[in-house]
PDB file of all heavy atoms in Angstrom:
ATOM      1  N   THR A 140     129.410   9.450 -22.329  1.00  0.00           N
ATOM      2  CA  THR A 140     129.827   8.463 -23.342  1.00  0.00           C
ATOM      3  C   THR A 140     129.818   7.059 -22.756  1.00  0.00           C
ATOM      4  O   THR A 140     129.200   6.092 -23.300  1.00  0.00           O
ATOM      5  CB  THR A 140     131.141   8.831 -23.991  1.00  0.00           C
ATOM      6  OG1 THR A 140     131.020  10.113 -24.546  1.00  0.00           O
ATOM      7  CG2 THR A 140     131.562   7.847 -25.094  1.00  0.00           C
ATOM      8  N   ILE A 163     140.345  -0.341 -25.003  1.00  0.00           N
ATOM      9  CA  ILE A 163     141.580   0.262 -25.502  1.00  0.00           C
ATOM     10  C   ILE A 163     141.423   1.782 -25.305  1.00  0.00           C
ATOM     11  O   ILE A 163     140.505   2.416 -25.827  1.00  0.00           O
ATOM     12  CB  ILE A 163     141.875  -0.005 -26.969  1.00  0.00           C
ATOM     13  CG1 ILE A 163     141.521  -1.480 -27.368  1.00  0.00           C
ATOM     14  CG2 ILE A 163     143.312   0.268 -27.284  1.00  0.00           C
ATOM     15  CD1 ILE A 163     141.712  -1.780 -28.842  1.00  0.00           C
ATOM     16  N   GLY A 164     142.319   2.282 -24.439  1.00  0.00           N
ATOM     17  CA  GLY A 164     142.159   3.743 -24.013  1.00  0.00           C
ATOM     18  C   GLY A 164     141.934   3.827 -22.574  1.00  0.00           C
ATOM     19  O   GLY A 164     141.229   3.090 -21.995  1.00  0.00           O
ATOM     20  N   ARG A 165     142.657   4.825 -21.956  1.00  0.00           N
ATOM     21  CA  ARG A 165     142.570   4.974 -20.480  1.00  0.00           C
ATOM     22  C   ARG A 165     142.309   6.462 -20.121  1.00  0.00           C
ATOM     23  O   ARG A 165     142.801   6.944 -19.104  1.00  0.00           O
ATOM     24  CB  ARG A 165     143.830   4.471 -19.799  1.00  0.00           C
ATOM     25  CG  ARG A 165     145.083   5.068 -20.371  1.00  0.00           C
ATOM     26  CD  ARG A 165     146.291   4.700 -19.534  1.00  0.00           C
ATOM     27  NE  ARG A 165     147.529   4.937 -20.265  1.00  0.00           N
ATOM     28  CZ  ARG A 165     148.749   4.713 -19.767  1.00  0.00           C
ATOM     29  NH1 ARG A 165     148.874   4.177 -18.587  1.00  0.00           N
ATOM     30  NH2 ARG A 165     149.829   5.034 -20.492  1.00  0.00           N
ATOM     31  N   SER A 166     141.538   7.170 -20.944  1.00  0.00           N
ATOM     32  CA  SER A 166     141.265   8.528 -20.568  1.00  0.00           C
ATOM     33  C   SER A 166     140.247   8.612 -19.463  1.00  0.00           C
ATOM     34  O   SER A 166     139.511   7.649 -19.233  1.00  0.00           O
ATOM     35  CB  SER A 166     140.736   9.248 -21.844  1.00  0.00           C
ATOM     36  OG  SER A 166     139.399   8.870 -22.142  1.00  0.00           O
ATOM     37  N   ILE A 168     137.678  10.432 -19.505  1.00  0.00           N
ATOM     38  CA  ILE A 168     136.295  10.661 -19.957  1.00  0.00           C
ATOM     39  C   ILE A 168     135.677   9.479 -20.635  1.00  0.00           C
ATOM     40  O   ILE A 168     134.464   9.396 -20.708  1.00  0.00           O
ATOM     41  CB  ILE A 168     136.192  11.920 -20.851  1.00  0.00           C
ATOM     42  CG1 ILE A 168     136.968  11.783 -22.143  1.00  0.00           C
ATOM     43  CG2 ILE A 168     136.680  13.170 -20.106  1.00  0.00           C
ATOM     44  CD1 ILE A 168     136.697  12.889 -23.191  1.00  0.00           C
ATOM     45  N   VAL A 169     136.493   8.568 -21.119  1.00  0.00           N
ATOM     46  CA  VAL A 169     135.952   7.374 -21.787  1.00  0.00           C
ATOM     47  C   VAL A 169     136.563   6.100 -21.191  1.00  0.00           C
ATOM     48  O   VAL A 169     135.820   5.250 -20.555  1.00  0.00           O
ATOM     49  CB  VAL A 169     136.098   7.333 -23.309  1.00  0.00           C
ATOM     50  CG1 VAL A 169     135.318   6.192 -23.891  1.00  0.00           C
ATOM     51  CG2 VAL A 169     135.717   8.661 -23.934  1.00  0.00           C
ATOM     52  N   HIS A 188     146.472   0.412 -23.420  1.00  0.00           N
ATOM     53  CA  HIS A 188     146.882   1.821 -23.719  1.00  0.00           C
ATOM     54  C   HIS A 188     148.152   1.752 -24.660  1.00  0.00           C
ATOM     55  O   HIS A 188     148.497   0.715 -25.089  1.00  0.00           O
ATOM     56  CB  HIS A 188     147.108   2.559 -22.450  1.00  0.00           C
ATOM     57  CG  HIS A 188     147.950   1.825 -21.469  1.00  0.00           C
ATOM     58  ND1 HIS A 188     149.237   1.671 -21.564  1.00  0.00           N
ATOM     59  CD2 HIS A 188     147.571   1.135 -20.349  1.00  0.00           C
ATOM     60  CE1 HIS A 188     149.706   0.954 -20.553  1.00  0.00           C
ATOM     61  NE2 HIS A 188     148.683   0.564 -19.832  1.00  0.00           N
ATOM     62  N   SER A 189     148.762   2.904 -24.879  1.00  0.00           N
ATOM     63  CA  SER A 189     149.829   2.981 -25.805  1.00  0.00           C
ATOM     64  C   SER A 189     151.051   2.140 -25.421  1.00  0.00           C
ATOM     65  O   SER A 189     151.883   1.831 -26.259  1.00  0.00           O
ATOM     66  CB  SER A 189     150.185   4.421 -26.146  1.00  0.00           C
ATOM     67  OG  SER A 189     150.744   4.991 -24.971  1.00  0.00           O
ATOM     68  N   ARG A 190     151.226   1.852 -24.151  1.00  0.00           N
ATOM     69  CA  ARG A 190     152.372   1.039 -23.725  1.00  0.00           C
ATOM     70  C   ARG A 190     152.058  -0.459 -23.541  1.00  0.00           C
ATOM     71  O   ARG A 190     152.913  -1.198 -23.103  1.00  0.00           O
ATOM     72  CB  ARG A 190     152.855   1.568 -22.385  1.00  0.00           C
ATOM     73  CG  ARG A 190     153.112   3.090 -22.267  1.00  0.00           C
ATOM     74  CD  ARG A 190     154.444   3.443 -22.727  1.00  0.00           C
ATOM     75  NE  ARG A 190     154.654   4.847 -22.563  1.00  0.00           N
ATOM     76  CZ  ARG A 190     155.330   5.379 -21.530  1.00  0.00           C
ATOM     77  NH1 ARG A 190     155.852   4.588 -20.592  1.00  0.00           N
ATOM     78  NH2 ARG A 190     155.502   6.688 -21.406  1.00  0.00           N
ATOM     79  N   LEU A 194     149.106  -6.186 -27.665  1.00  0.00           N
ATOM     80  CA  LEU A 194     147.756  -5.627 -27.675  1.00  0.00           C
ATOM     81  C   LEU A 194     146.832  -6.569 -28.426  1.00  0.00           C
ATOM     82  O   LEU A 194     145.658  -6.793 -27.972  1.00  0.00           O
ATOM     83  CB  LEU A 194     147.769  -4.295 -28.349  1.00  0.00           C
ATOM     84  CG  LEU A 194     146.417  -3.547 -28.424  1.00  0.00           C
ATOM     85  CD1 LEU A 194     145.990  -2.999 -27.050  1.00  0.00           C
ATOM     86  CD2 LEU A 194     146.446  -2.381 -29.435  1.00  0.00           C
ATOM     87  N   ALA A 207     138.589   3.193 -27.754  1.00  0.00           N
ATOM     88  CA  ALA A 207     138.511   4.642 -27.460  1.00  0.00           C
ATOM     89  C   ALA A 207     139.919   5.229 -27.567  1.00  0.00           C
ATOM     90  O   ALA A 207     140.522   5.521 -26.585  1.00  0.00           O
ATOM     91  CB  ALA A 207     137.916   4.925 -26.133  1.00  0.00           C
ATOM     92  N   ILE A 208     140.370   5.284 -28.786  1.00  0.00           N
ATOM     93  CA  ILE A 208     141.797   5.544 -29.029  1.00  0.00           C
ATOM     94  C   ILE A 208     142.007   6.963 -29.765  1.00  0.00           C
ATOM     95  O   ILE A 208     142.833   7.792 -29.402  1.00  0.00           O
ATOM     96  CB  ILE A 208     142.432   4.504 -29.924  1.00  0.00           C
ATOM     97  CG1 ILE A 208     142.023   3.077 -29.390  1.00  0.00           C
ATOM     98  CG2 ILE A 208     143.914   4.594 -29.999  1.00  0.00           C
ATOM     99  CD1 ILE A 208     142.029   1.994 -30.391  1.00  0.00           C
ATOM    100  N   GLY A 209     141.161   7.110 -30.778  1.00  0.00           N
ATOM    101  CA  GLY A 209     141.345   8.332 -31.621  1.00  0.00           C
ATOM    102  C   GLY A 209     142.336   8.056 -32.731  1.00  0.00           C
ATOM    103  O   GLY A 209     143.033   8.960 -33.225  1.00  0.00           O
ATOM    104  N   LYS A 210     142.345   6.820 -33.275  1.00  0.00           N
ATOM    105  CA  LYS A 210     143.203   6.468 -34.406  1.00  0.00           C
ATOM    106  C   LYS A 210     142.329   5.734 -35.437  1.00  0.00           C
ATOM    107  O   LYS A 210     141.819   4.621 -35.163  1.00  0.00           O
ATOM    108  CB  LYS A 210     144.312   5.572 -33.989  1.00  0.00           C
ATOM    109  CG  LYS A 210     145.302   6.318 -33.106  1.00  0.00           C
ATOM    110  CD  LYS A 210     146.734   5.723 -33.260  1.00  0.00           C
ATOM    111  CE  LYS A 210     147.765   6.708 -32.931  1.00  0.00           C
ATOM    112  NZ  LYS A 210     148.111   6.908 -31.582  1.00  0.00           N
ATOM    113  N   PHE A 213     141.969   1.584 -36.396  1.00  0.00           N
ATOM    114  CA  PHE A 213     143.007   0.965 -35.568  1.00  0.00           C
ATOM    115  C   PHE A 213     142.754  -0.528 -35.319  1.00  0.00           C
ATOM    116  O   PHE A 213     143.636  -1.328 -35.373  1.00  0.00           O
ATOM    117  CB  PHE A 213     143.158   1.740 -34.276  1.00  0.00           C
ATOM    118  CG  PHE A 213     144.265   1.238 -33.355  1.00  0.00           C
ATOM    119  CD1 PHE A 213     145.544   1.805 -33.465  1.00  0.00           C
ATOM    120  CD2 PHE A 213     144.050   0.257 -32.404  1.00  0.00           C
ATOM    121  CE1 PHE A 213     146.559   1.313 -32.631  1.00  0.00           C
ATOM    122  CE2 PHE A 213     145.053  -0.182 -31.611  1.00  0.00           C
ATOM    123  CZ  PHE A 213     146.319   0.343 -31.716  1.00  0.00           C
ATOM    124  N   VAL A 228     134.257   3.923 -30.229  1.00  0.00           N
ATOM    125  CA  VAL A 228     134.031   5.249 -29.632  1.00  0.00           C
ATOM    126  C   VAL A 228     134.613   6.345 -30.527  1.00  0.00           C
ATOM    127  O   VAL A 228     134.218   7.470 -30.452  1.00  0.00           O
ATOM    128  CB  VAL A 228     134.582   5.348 -28.189  1.00  0.00           C
ATOM    129  CG1 VAL A 228     134.218   6.667 -27.578  1.00  0.00           C
ATOM    130  CG2 VAL A 228     134.046   4.224 -27.402  1.00  0.00           C
ATOM    131  N   GLY A 229     135.618   5.971 -31.276  1.00  0.00           N
ATOM    132  CA  GLY A 229     136.469   7.000 -32.017  1.00  0.00           C
ATOM    133  C   GLY A 229     135.662   7.885 -32.931  1.00  0.00           C
ATOM    134  O   GLY A 229     134.663   7.473 -33.558  1.00  0.00           O
ATOM    135  N   ILE A 230     136.141   9.103 -33.003  1.00  0.00           N
ATOM    136  CA  ILE A 230     135.592  10.045 -33.997  1.00  0.00           C
ATOM    137  C   ILE A 230     136.864  10.635 -34.622  1.00  0.00           C
ATOM    138  O   ILE A 230     137.586  11.416 -34.048  1.00  0.00           O
ATOM    139  CB  ILE A 230     134.797  11.144 -33.361  1.00  0.00           C
ATOM    140  CG1 ILE A 230     133.560  10.546 -32.588  1.00  0.00           C
ATOM    141  CG2 ILE A 230     134.336  12.210 -34.382  1.00  0.00           C
ATOM    142  CD1 ILE A 230     132.724  11.641 -31.899  1.00  0.00           C
ATOM    143  N   ASN A 231     137.079  10.264 -35.924  1.00  0.00           N
ATOM    144  CA  ASN A 231     138.230  10.746 -36.605  1.00  0.00           C
ATOM    145  C   ASN A 231     137.806  11.275 -37.927  1.00  0.00           C
ATOM    146  O   ASN A 231     136.863  10.704 -38.569  1.00  0.00           O
ATOM    147  CB  ASN A 231     139.231   9.605 -36.856  1.00  0.00           C
ATOM    148  CG  ASN A 231     139.548   8.745 -35.572  1.00  0.00           C
ATOM    149  OD1 ASN A 231     140.170   9.233 -34.648  1.00  0.00           O
ATOM    150  ND2 ASN A 231     138.994   7.557 -35.503  1.00  0.00           N
ATOM    151  N   ASP A 240     137.381   4.175 -34.769  1.00  0.00           N
ATOM    152  CA  ASP A 240     138.682   3.565 -34.511  1.00  0.00           C
ATOM    153  C   ASP A 240     138.755   2.097 -34.983  1.00  0.00           C
ATOM    154  O   ASP A 240     139.733   1.388 -34.873  1.00  0.00           O
ATOM    155  CB  ASP A 240     138.933   3.511 -33.001  1.00  0.00           C
ATOM    156  CG  ASP A 240     139.267   4.909 -32.418  1.00  0.00           C
ATOM    157  OD1 ASP A 240     139.587   5.785 -33.207  1.00  0.00           O
ATOM    158  OD2 ASP A 240     139.212   5.128 -31.221  1.00  0.00           O
ATOM    159  N   VAL A 260     127.979   5.423 -31.012  1.00  0.00           N
ATOM    160  CA  VAL A 260     128.169   5.943 -29.662  1.00  0.00           C
ATOM    161  C   VAL A 260     127.909   7.437 -29.545  1.00  0.00           C
ATOM    162  O   VAL A 260     127.411   7.962 -28.604  1.00  0.00           O
ATOM    163  CB  VAL A 260     129.564   5.554 -29.174  1.00  0.00           C
ATOM    164  CG1 VAL A 260     129.917   6.147 -27.863  1.00  0.00           C
ATOM    165  CG2 VAL A 260     129.738   4.100 -29.129  1.00  0.00           C
ATOM    166  N   GLY A 261     128.330   8.176 -30.601  1.00  0.00           N
ATOM    167  CA  GLY A 261     128.202   9.678 -30.570  1.00  0.00           C
ATOM    168  C   GLY A 261     126.809  10.135 -30.298  1.00  0.00           C
ATOM    169  O   GLY A 261     126.516  11.012 -29.508  1.00  0.00           O
ATOM    170  N   THR A 264     125.853   9.656 -26.679  1.00  0.00           N
ATOM    171  CA  THR A 264     126.455  10.667 -25.787  1.00  0.00           C
ATOM    172  C   THR A 264     125.563  11.789 -25.582  1.00  0.00           C
ATOM    173  O   THR A 264     125.325  12.225 -24.403  1.00  0.00           O
ATOM    174  CB  THR A 264     127.837  11.092 -26.352  1.00  0.00           C
ATOM    175  OG1 THR A 264     128.672   9.921 -26.432  1.00  0.00           O
ATOM    176  CG2 THR A 264     128.509  12.065 -25.412  1.00  0.00           C
TER     177      THR A 264
HETATM  178  P1  NDP B 301     142.441  10.368 -25.423  1.00  0.00           P
HETATM  179  O1  NDP B 301     143.416  10.890 -26.464  1.00  0.00           O
HETATM  180  O2  NDP B 301     142.377  11.090 -24.134  1.00  0.00           O
HETATM  181  O3  NDP B 301     142.935   8.843 -25.097  1.00  0.00           O
HETATM  182  C1  NDP B 301     143.293   7.976 -26.103  1.00  0.00           C
HETATM  183  C2  NDP B 301     143.730   6.717 -25.435  1.00  0.00           C
HETATM  184  O4  NDP B 301     144.160   5.817 -26.476  1.00  0.00           O
HETATM  185  C3  NDP B 301     144.951   6.909 -24.475  1.00  0.00           C
HETATM  186  O5  NDP B 301     144.680   6.216 -23.278  1.00  0.00           O
HETATM  187  C4  NDP B 301     146.109   6.257 -25.325  1.00  0.00           C
HETATM  188  O6  NDP B 301     147.046   5.623 -24.458  1.00  0.00           O
HETATM  189  C5  NDP B 301     145.402   5.209 -26.155  1.00  0.00           C
HETATM  190  N1  NDP B 301     146.187   4.951 -27.309  1.00  0.00           N
HETATM  191  C6  NDP B 301     146.703   5.814 -28.163  1.00  0.00           C
HETATM  192  N2  NDP B 301     147.454   5.150 -29.126  1.00  0.00           N
HETATM  193  C7  NDP B 301     147.376   3.899 -28.817  1.00  0.00           C
HETATM  194  C8  NDP B 301     147.920   2.667 -29.322  1.00  0.00           C
HETATM  195  N3  NDP B 301     148.688   2.754 -30.470  1.00  0.00           N
HETATM  196  N4  NDP B 301     147.672   1.502 -28.767  1.00  0.00           N
HETATM  197  C9  NDP B 301     146.901   1.431 -27.649  1.00  0.00           C
HETATM  198  N5  NDP B 301     146.323   2.524 -27.078  1.00  0.00           N
HETATM  199  C10 NDP B 301     146.583   3.718 -27.630  1.00  0.00           C
HETATM  200  O7  NDP B 301     141.078  10.174 -26.143  1.00  0.00           O
HETATM  201  P2  NDP B 301     139.579  10.133 -25.608  1.00  0.00           P
HETATM  202  O8  NDP B 301     139.475   8.978 -24.644  1.00  0.00           O
HETATM  203  O9  NDP B 301     139.200  11.457 -25.203  1.00  0.00           O
HETATM  204  O10 NDP B 301     138.822   9.785 -26.992  1.00  0.00           O
HETATM  205  C11 NDP B 301     139.108   8.647 -27.709  1.00  0.00           C
HETATM  206  C12 NDP B 301     138.404   8.769 -29.043  1.00  0.00           C
HETATM  207  O11 NDP B 301     136.977   8.794 -28.761  1.00  0.00           O
HETATM  208  C13 NDP B 301     138.651  10.023 -29.868  1.00  0.00           C
HETATM  209  O12 NDP B 301     138.565   9.662 -31.207  1.00  0.00           O
HETATM  210  C14 NDP B 301     137.529  10.926 -29.512  1.00  0.00           C
HETATM  211  O13 NDP B 301     137.241  11.877 -30.467  1.00  0.00           O
HETATM  212  C15 NDP B 301     136.424   9.951 -29.343  1.00  0.00           C
HETATM  213  N6  NDP B 301     135.323  10.351 -28.437  1.00  0.00           N
HETATM  214  C16 NDP B 301     134.100  10.096 -28.815  1.00  0.00           C
HETATM  215  C17 NDP B 301     133.034  10.446 -28.096  1.00  0.00           C
HETATM  216  C18 NDP B 301     131.633  10.114 -28.585  1.00  0.00           C
HETATM  217  O14 NDP B 301     130.658  10.672 -28.118  1.00  0.00           O
HETATM  218  N7  NDP B 301     131.517   9.196 -29.544  1.00  0.00           N
HETATM  219  C19 NDP B 301     133.142  11.101 -26.789  1.00  0.00           C
HETATM  220  C20 NDP B 301     134.544  11.253 -26.371  1.00  0.00           C
HETATM  221  C21 NDP B 301     135.578  10.911 -27.170  1.00  0.00           C
HETATM  222  P3  NDP B 301     148.008   6.487 -23.443  1.00  0.00           P
HETATM  223  O15 NDP B 301     147.102   6.744 -22.269  1.00  0.00           O
HETATM  224  O16 NDP B 301     149.116   5.485 -23.126  1.00  0.00           O
HETATM  225  O17 NDP B 301     148.470   7.687 -24.189  1.00  0.00           O
END
Side-chain angles (χ1 to χ4, degrees):
T140 303
I163 321 176
R165 55 174 164 178
S166 71
I168 64 168
V169 189
H188 45 78
S189 65
R190 309 275 185 97
L194 181 75
I208 312 155
K210 293 211 154 83
F213 183 90
V228 186
I230 299 178
N231 310 289
D240 288 345
V260 173
T264 298

